[in-house]
Amino acid sequence: SMKANFDHALNEGIKKFDYGTVDSASIIAWAEACKFIRSFPYHEINSHNLTIRKYLFNGLSTINNIVIISESSCDSSIIAFYHKKIHSHDINRFLIKKNIIIRVGHMCSQSYLNAIQVNSLCRISWNIFNTIDDCNKIISALSEIDAEFSNI
């Protein structure tokens, strides 16, 4: 059998925390993403994101059992919510089948979720590449799952 040869010294001090091989592909992808974002004036990105936020917030507000945690006046590109009767992981599985990706779970805020007595959240995020059509797709899908499973 072959044995790996580790005849080298380990780094000392702060250098011992170096993580090894640099992920060059991710660095290049990040640089390209930054170029893409910089190709838009900031005020256009901000205006677009606020338009998407208002549209999503209003659309989600029409769905019976969805409780939006995020404030309507906030200007972030994230809306967090939960469904009163359907667990967020079940919502996620339903949305994945429709090619819609959201984040679900504790969101690293278990103490807050305990305080509001909720097991987990759904979180929608967006940016310059998302459209009103994307909003309509997720609002429609969430309305569908609400209608289909809320009577259980």
Side-chain angles (χ1 to χ4, degrees):
S1 76
M2 291 179 53
K3 273 188 157 179
N5 182 0
F6 292 106
D7 288 341
H8 60 277
L10 298 176
N11 287 332
E12 298 290 327
I14 194 72
K15 294 285 262 169
K16 71 181 172 188
F17 297 111
D18 283 351
Y19 54 85
T21 305
V22 175
D23 184 0
S24 301
S26 292
I27 292 169
I28 293 166
W30 178 253
E32 290 302 311
C34 290
K35 282 184 204 174
F36 174 74
I37 292 294
R38 281 194 312 251
S39 71
F40 297 93
Y42 177 76
H43 71 277
E44 284 182 22
I45 295 172
N46 194 43
S47 175
H48 173 80
N49 286 342
L50 288 175
T51 299
I52 295 287
R53 179 181 186 74
K54 287 176 187 172
Y55 194 89
L56 271 174
F57 200 95
N58 289 337
L60 294 174
S61 297
T62 66
I63 303 171
N64 290 333
N65 291 295
I66 287 200
V67 177
I68 301 172
I69 299 299
S70 306
E71 294 185 22
S72 62
S73 61
C74 181
D75 65 352
S76 78
S77 297
I78 294 172
I79 293 178
F81 65 93
Y82 66 91
H83 193 282
K84 293 177 185 176
K85 299 180 179 183
I86 306 170
H87 194 278
S88 63
H89 288 103
D90 295 325
I91 290 173
N92 190 45
R93 288 188 57 104
F94 180 83
L95 293 176
I96 286 171
K97 291 178 182 177
K98 295 185 173 292
N99 292 320
I100 300 170
I101 306 300
I102 65 170
R103 173 129 189 254
V104 298
H106 292 133
M107 312 299 166
C108 300
S109 59
Q110 289 90 336
S111 55
Y112 174 69
L113 294 180
N114 289 339
I116 63 171
Q117 298 179 336
V118 174
N119 290 328
S120 67
L121 296 174
C122 298
R123 189 181 80 189
I124 302 170
S125 59
W126 62 90
N127 212 309
I128 195 73
F129 45 81
N130 293 108
T131 65
I132 294 296
D133 285 342
D134 294 332
C135 297
N136 288 333
K137 187 177 176 184
I138 195 165
I139 292 165
S140 174
L142 290 169
S143 295
E144 182 182 336
I145 193 172
D146 181 65
E148 189 172 332
F149 294 102
S150 288
N151 296 328
I152 56 175

